Amino acid sequence: MTEVKIENADREAGKEFMPKFDSNGLLTAVVTNAETNTVLMVAMMDQLAIARTRETGIAHFHSRSRGRLWMKGETSGNTLTVKRILVDCDQDALILECEPAGPTCHTGASDCFYRELVDEGLKPKSD
Amino acid sequence: MTEVKIENADREAGKEFMPKFDSNGLLTAVVTNAETNTVLMVAMMDQLAIARTRETGIAHFHSRSRGRLWMKGETSGNTLTVKRILVDCDQDALILECEPAGPTCHTGASDCFYRELVDEGLKPKSD
C-alpha cells in the first residue's frame, strides 16, 4: 500500500481535518442556505479563508480576481453567518451552511444560480 | 470599458452559455438531489464532460485522478440522471440536479458530505 493510499484512507475515514488543496492552495466551498438547503454560491477557500471563517463564524473566501482574502459582504453588507461546515470524503470540498444577511449574488439575485441551461442556451430558472 | 468587462456582463446577463473554464480547462459542478436539494458531491467538468452529460442525460465528469472522462457510476452502477442544470452568474460553476440510482459516494455513503467540522476535528454529520 502506498503512502498516498494511506493518506486517502485517513482523509476518508479519519477524525482529523486534513483539507486537500489544489496546486494553487485552494479548495471548493459550496454555500447553502441552512434553512432551505438551496445552493447560494460556489467559491474558493485557502488555508487562511478557512481559518478566518472558523474564528469569526462569518464566511471568508479567497478571491482569485482580487488575489486576496475576501469576506463575503465586506462592501455590500450581505454577509453569510456560518451555521455548520461539512467536509467531503476526500476533504477537497466543503459545504458552508449559512444564514445570509441579504441577497448572496453580486447581481442582486438571491443566489448565483438564477439561470437554467436548456437546449437553446440559458433561461431564467423556473421554480 | 474593457473587453473583459463586456465579456463578464455578457456572461452574467446573457442567454448564451459561455462556460468559464480555469487554466486546466475545468469548472466546478455541484451535484444535488433534485428531490431533497441535498448536495451529493462536488466534481469537475471539462467541455467534453458537459457535452456528454447534455447528450445522454447522465452525469459525466472529468476525473483528475484518472485523467479522463468519467461517467459517475460506470463501475458501481450508481449513476446520476440529470433533471436540470443551473448555471451561476459568471458561468464557472454548475449545479446538476439529479436523481441518484444509489449511494453517490464511493465510500457507500448516500452523499460525500457525511462529516461535520467541529472544533476538535471531524465528526459524523448530525441530521
Side-chain angles (χ1 to χ4, degrees):
Chain A
M1 194 186 272
T2 67
E3 200 184 337
V4 171
K5 281 190 178 164
I6 291 170
E7 198 186 299
N8 281 346
D10 285 347
R11 275 216 164 88
E12 287 176 5
K15 292 181 177 173
E16 196 186 337
F17 182 46
M18 297 182 283
K20 191 159 104 188
F21 297 103
D22 68 13
S23 56
N24 295 313
L26 301 172
L27 53 69
T28 303
V30 179
V31 177
T32 64
N33 182 315
E35 207 164 317
T36 64
N37 243 2
T38 305
V39 176
L40 299 175
M41 62 180 282
V42 170
M44 306 306 289
M45 295 177 93
D46 59 3
Q47 191 75 259
L48 178 60
I50 293 173
R52 205 55 64 84
T53 299
R54 295 180 79 185
E55 283 158 25
T56 63
I58 305 291
H60 288 69
F61 304 102
H62 176 82
S63 167
R64 285 176 291 185
S65 56
R66 299 174 184 84
R68 64 167 175 82
L69 183 74
W70 161 57
M71 184 183 82
K72 162 74 190 147
E74 62 187 17
T75 52
S76 67
N78 297 328
T79 52
L80 296 163
T81 301
V82 179
K83 298 308 206 181
R84 189 164 73 156
I85 300 177
L86 302 178
V87 182
D88 81 339
C89 48
D90 57 359
Q91 303 203 30
D92 66 354
L94 303 178
I95 294 176
L96 308 186
E97 294 180 342
C98 293
E99 187 183 306
T104 297
C105 188
H106 74 286
T107 61
S110 64
D111 65 75
C112 296
F113 294 89
Y114 46 84
R115 290 170 300 181
E116 181 178 343
L117 180 58
V118 291
D119 288 346
E120 309 75 39
L122 303 175
K123 67 166 197 180
K125 171 172 63 178
S126 51
D127 284 316
Chain B
M1 194 186 274
T2 67
E3 198 184 339
V4 171
K5 281 190 178 165
I6 290 170
E7 197 185 298
N8 280 346
D10 284 347
R11 275 215 163 89
E12 288 176 4
K15 291 181 177 172
E16 195 186 336
F17 182 46
M18 296 182 284
K20 191 159 103 188
F21 298 103
D22 68 12
S23 57
N24 295 313
L26 301 172
L27 54 68
T28 302
V30 178
V31 178
T32 64
N33 182 315
E35 206 165 316
T36 64
N37 242 3
T38 305
V39 175
L40 299 175
M41 62 180 281
V42 170
M44 306 305 289
M45 295 178 93
D46 60 2
Q47 191 75 261
L48 178 61
I50 294 173
R52 205 55 64 84
T53 298
R54 296 181 78 186
E55 284 158 25
T56 62
I58 305 291
H60 289 68
F61 303 101
H62 176 82
S63 167
R64 285 176 291 186
S65 55
R66 297 173 184 87
R68 65 166 175 82
L69 184 75
W70 161 56
M71 185 183 82
K72 162 73 189 148
E74 63 188 17
T75 51
S76 66
N78 297 328
T79 52
L80 295 163
T81 301
V82 180
K83 297 308 204 180
R84 188 164 73 155
I85 299 177
L86 302 178
V87 183
D88 81 339
C89 48
D90 57 357
Q91 303 204 31
D92 66 354
L94 303 179
I95 294 176
L96 309 185
E97 295 180 342
C98 293
E99 187 183 307
T104 297
C105 187
H106 74 286
T107 61
S110 64
D111 65 74
C112 295
F113 294 89
Y114 47 83
R115 289 170 300 180
E116 181 178 342
L117 180 60
V118 292
D119 287 346
E120 309 74 38
L122 303 175
K123 66 166 198 181
K125 171 171 62 177
S126 51
D127 283 317

